[in-house]
Amino acid sequence: MMGFAISDEFLGTFVPILVYWVYSGMYICLGSMDKYRLHSKIDEDEKNLVTKSAVVKGVLLQQTLQAIIAVILFKITGNDADAATAQPSSLLLLARQFIIAMLVIDTWQYFIHRYMHLNKFLYKHIHSQHHRLIVPYAYGALYNHPLEGLLLDTIGGALSFLFSGMSPRTAIFFFSFATIKTVDDHCGLWLPGNPFHIFFSNNSAYHDVHHQLYGSKYNFSQPFFVMWDRILGTYLPYSLEKRANGGFETRPIKVSKDE
């Protein structure tokens, strides 16, 4: 009897997509908890410039295109199951590959993301689509122009995969982790005990600053670290304060030029 084997390349492409919607669904359930929201539900409904149905359609389109391209890239790189099993998989090696991949994708996305803000044509015709979500929410994390999705996510992901030397099997876990992190950064919630808020300065509050008008020229780093913002002077510090009617609010902190 012949069995059907699902390749690691297939899983590495489609598991992160499934993770995206499952993890976003969890945040949809939590979104009604006003005491943890960075913006009120009214602000989410009134300030955003795109309907939620259009966001869902846009994300599904992007994920479809990315899946097609990812399958092609896996075929081109020639990583198969035999190569994956032949590679040693010690925890030290996996940790090194994760860190390299995180640094590569952070570096790529910072400079592409920042340039899309500096170039008026690219911002108007491409990146502004993502900023129609002035009040971010979880399943809008990948609401981008398809070309931006190609440049930031697909190419950035391919570079992190190749430079880190990870196997397709390891890529399943890395890209699922990166997907969860991206969704978390856009969830619009500040949850107590959230490990992403504990271990990463780049979190939902940090990225919320970037989505506001006062922060559009700052906090470009995504999705893991804030090093490039700090090194290149685009880091905007902020305070997180409780709103009188419940929830939290990010407020920029003015830094003296003498500091």
Side-chain angles (χ1 to χ4, degrees):
M1 181 176 179
M2 184 177 294
F4 176 72
I6 300 177
S7 69
D8 291 338
E9 290 88 345
F10 178 89
L11 293 174
T13 300
F14 292 99
V15 167
I17 294 175
L18 177 62
V19 167
Y20 181 89
W21 292 106
V22 171
Y23 199 66
S24 295
M26 181 191 76
Y27 274 121
I28 292 173
C29 296
L30 294 174
S32 60
M33 304 175 71
D34 291 339
K35 62 181 179 179
Y36 300 126
R37 294 179 65 95
L38 295 175
H39 297 270
S40 69
K41 190 70 172 62
I42 294 176
D43 283 345
E44 180 181 306
D45 294 334
E46 294 182 352
K47 290 185 177 181
N48 286 337
L49 306 177
V50 61
T51 65
K52 292 182 176 179
S53 62
V55 168
V56 171
K57 292 176 183 177
V59 172
L60 289 173
L61 172 62
Q62 176 166 315
Q63 289 178 326
T64 301
L65 295 175
Q66 287 181 334
I68 294 171
I69 295 170
V71 170
I72 295 172
L73 288 175
F74 273 128
K75 295 297 182 183
I76 292 174
T77 56
N79 289 294
D80 54 26
D82 293 335
T85 55
Q87 185 182 41
S89 56
S90 68
L91 290 177
L92 183 62
L93 174 65
L94 295 177
R96 186 187 71 187
Q97 290 175 337
F98 260 61
I99 292 172
I100 292 174
M102 291 163 74
L103 292 172
V104 169
I105 200 168
D106 261 34
T107 300
W108 176 262
Q109 292 207 0
Y110 174 85
F111 287 101
I112 298 297
H113 183 197
R114 183 177 179 181
Y115 186 66
M116 284 190 173
H117 275 268
L118 295 176
N119 186 295
K120 293 181 180 180
F121 178 86
L122 291 178
Y123 184 83
K124 179 179 179 180
H125 296 284
I126 297 177
H127 189 55
S128 63
Q129 177 170 325
H130 183 68
H131 280 273
R132 292 175 188 170
L133 291 176
I134 298 168
V135 178
Y137 48 80
Y139 61 91
L142 292 182
Y143 177 65
N144 300 313
H145 189 284
L147 182 57
E148 178 175 350
L150 172 65
L151 289 172
L152 280 179
D153 300 321
T154 307
I155 296 179
L159 290 172
S160 64
F161 173 75
L162 294 172
F163 276 93
S164 67
M166 65 175 57
S167 68
R169 184 163 300 174
T170 303
I172 298 171
F173 297 96
F174 174 73
F175 290 117
S176 294
F177 172 63
T179 297
I180 291 172
K181 179 67 172 61
T182 300
V183 170
D184 201 271
D185 290 345
H186 290 80
C187 70
L189 298 171
W190 188 260
L191 296 172
N194 185 331
F196 288 122
H197 298 165
I198 296 172
F199 294 106
F200 292 95
S201 297
N202 197 333
N203 48 46
S204 57
Y206 185 85
H207 196 66
D208 180 75
V209 170
H210 176 71
H211 272 260
Q212 307 313 305
L213 183 61
Y214 64 80
S216 62
K217 295 181 180 179
Y218 302 94
N219 295 11
F220 298 112
S221 294
Q222 58 185 43
F224 297 110
F225 308 115
V226 301
M227 60 179 185
W228 287 115
D229 277 320
R230 289 189 177 275
I231 292 171
L232 297 176
T234 54
Y235 177 83
L236 181 62
Y238 62 92
S239 62
L240 193 61
E241 302 177 12
K242 287 189 175 182
R243 291 197 305 265
N245 57 346
F248 297 92
E249 180 181 0
T250 56
R251 293 183 180 178
I253 298 175
K254 293 182 179 180
V255 179
S256 172
K257 293 183 180 179
D258 297 330
E259 293 181 358

